[in-house]
Each structure stands twice: as structure tokens, then as C-alpha cells.
Amino acid sequence: MNVPLWLWLATIGGLAAIILADLFLVDHKPHAVTAREATRWVLFYVALAVAFGIGLWFFAGGQSAGEFFAGYITEYSLSVDNLFVFVIIMAAFKVPAVHQHRVLLVGIVIALVMRGIFIAVGAAAIHAFSWVFYIFAVVLIVTAVNLARQGTEHDEEFKENFALRGLRRVLPVTPEFHGARSFVKIDGKRWVTPMLVVMFAIGSTDLLFALDSIPAIFGLTQEPYLVFTANAFALMGLRQLYFLLGSLLTKLVYLSYGLSVILGFIGVKLVLEALHENNLPFLNGGEPVPVPTIGIAVSLSVIVGVLAITTVLSLLKVRRDAAAAPAPAADEVADDDRPAPADVPTTAPVPAGGRPDSSHS
């Protein structure tokens, strides 16, 4: 797929325009997002992704469109898993409901920029060294095993990562929120507020999760443009999904198992493709190994099928056994518009989510 520079610029410009429009709406009238409003926004962003995929089909062919949809669905499903962590971060920092949308939007913009850099580095590495596929495959398979071991258990505590601790050491942080402001001047001294810290927490934590989600999408397509756009559409719709799902997150009790199967499947797919295009001198004399490869149609079917089965089984499990779904970690936070108390945490427990902690992230 030959992607000219003007198309890259037009795509990034279009995404930036959508984000700026969204940010304007948030700042114009800050409010707690309702389920109905979140539903409309989720449908809007999903429709954008579908329209983009149809455009790819028309201009670039079914193969590119299929790779985009497979990557988008995979990234979106892995991003849903991130929401467990976002709920815990919001609770740890006691973010007022009226400001949560802004926090997620800016945090996800930070994440998208950092993911863009990560994608560029990954694409360059794959282009230069074919054996990188083996490394990606190992990362995915190890993560899949850890997810399967984790099962239905989710930690409910948050621990600030290295980047956040560094931020606190460098910048003075006020003990309480000051509305939606990220910077304030007190007694002639400029301070940052917990608003900026929690935005950075969302963005930096998402980058840790990208350590397995980016290799996963490279297992479905090696085209950087498709990798970037699939990530962009998944992340842009993620914050609205946060408000829409709410307590439903805790009902997806088998999500970790489903994601484990998907990551394991993509890991095996990567190994087969690496063997099929082998040029390592110590393996089969540097010649390609005659192994079957998995097409994008099969990959898309497996991803959609696993997610559907996981969702149905989770809902059936919770319906039969209400105790299987733990209480949401941030129920009280969603309704709390009050400023945080003076003891905003400087340290706290390890990020929890459907995936393992920062070792995988």
C-alpha cells in the first residue's frame, strides 16, 4: 500500500480537527457525561471508523480494508481492557465527574502521540530486521499466558509509574484541584494541579499497554498507515466507551480469557509468517520454511468470534451468579463533583486492568 505524504497529513489533520472540536465542546460547557450522550458519541466514532474502512475498501482494496478492520477491532477490544485501569486512576485521584471527559480526552491525545512514535519505531525495526516478528510473537504469547493465569481477578489499586513520580519531583503539584485548570499561580509561584497529573497518568499508562497492543496489530498488518489509523480510531472512541460501559465493565468477567486467546492467536500467526519469510541463516539454511499462513479473513473471523463468545459467556455467567461481577471501583467517583481532598496520593497501588501490570503493560 503506497501512502503519499499528503494523505498522511490530511489524515492527521482530520483527526486533529475532530479532537479539537470535541475539546471545544467539553470546554464550552463542562458537565458529567450521561449514558445517552456517551452512546451517541460512541456510535459517531464507530461510524467514522466504518466509513474510513469503506473508503479504504473503495480506494485501496479489500485486503487493506480487512487489515484495518481487524486491527481496529483488536485495538478497540484491548483498549476496553484499559478502561479497568482508567476507572481506578479516576478513583485514586478523586477526579470530579464534571472534569472526567476532559481528563480522558487530553490523556488519550498524549497516548496517541506517544503511540505514533512507538509505531514509527516498530515499523522501522520490522523493515530493517525480519526477526523482530519473533520478538513480537514472544511478547504476545507471554502476555496471553499471563492473562489466562489472571483469569477473572482484577486488582483495584493504582501505583504511580516511573514517569509520574518523575513529574512530581520536577514540578510542584497542588494538593487539590482548581476547577479544570492544569496550571495555577499561588503567591507568585506557578504550580501544576492534579488535573495535569491525572492526564499524564492516563497517557503514560496507556503507553505501557501499547507494549503488547502495538505488536498485536503488527501481526495483522505491517502497513504503518493502517496501524496508526486503527489505533487512532480505537483511542478516540475509548473515552466515550468509558462513560457508556460504566458498571458493565465488571460484567465482562471472561474478558481476560478472550483477549488471551486473541493475543495467543496473533502470536502464532506472527511466528508462521516469520517462518514463511525466513532469512535467518541458522534456520533452514536461511531459506523460507514451508508453513501455512493465516489470511486476514480468517484473522478477522477469529477476533470477532472470540469477542462475541467471550461477551455472551460473561453475561450468562453474571446472570446466573451475580457475585461473579465485583462492584465497580469508581461508582462513588462518577457521582462526586467535589474537589479532591488535600491528600491526593503521591503513591498508590499497581495499575489494574484486564492485562497484567506494567511488566507487560
Side-chain angles (χ1 to χ4, degrees), residues 24-151:
F24 170 78
L25 293 175
V26 172
D27 283 342
H28 180 66
K29 188 179 179 181
H31 61 283
V33 177
T34 64
R36 179 176 297 180
E37 181 183 1
T39 300
R40 289 198 300 266
W41 275 104
V42 167
L43 292 176
F44 170 73
Y45 279 113
V46 170
L48 276 183
V50 171
F52 182 82
I54 292 173
L56 282 173
W57 194 301
F58 184 78
F59 290 105
Q63 177 70 18
S64 295
E67 290 177 0
F68 168 78
F69 280 122
Y72 169 68
I73 294 171
T74 299
E75 291 298 312
Y76 212 2
S77 61
L78 290 171
S79 294
V80 169
D81 197 33
N82 295 8
L83 294 184
F84 285 103
V85 180
F86 293 171
V87 167
I88 293 165
I89 290 175
M90 293 292 190
F93 284 89
K94 295 181 170 55
V95 181
V98 71
H99 299 314
Q100 288 185 7
H101 187 279
R102 177 183 173 89
V103 166
L104 286 171
L105 178 58
V106 178
I108 284 173
V109 169
I110 294 172
L112 183 56
V113 171
M114 292 193 291
R115 281 197 184 205
I117 297 171
F118 194 6
I119 290 168
V121 172
I126 289 173
H127 180 74
F129 310 105
S130 61
W131 47 263
V132 170
F133 280 120
Y134 293 107
I135 296 177
F136 283 0
V138 169
V139 169
L140 295 180
I141 292 172
V142 169
T143 303
V145 171
N146 289 336
L147 276 173
R149 287 177 175 174
Q150 177 179 296

Side-chain angles (χ1 to χ4, degrees), residues 32 59 78 81 123 143 157 176 207 241 243 245-246 276 286 315 326 328:
F59 290 105
L78 290 171
D81 197 33
T143 303
E157 297 181 328
E176 66 280 325
L207 181 63
L241 203 61
F243 298 105
L245 290 183
H276 187 72
L315 296 179

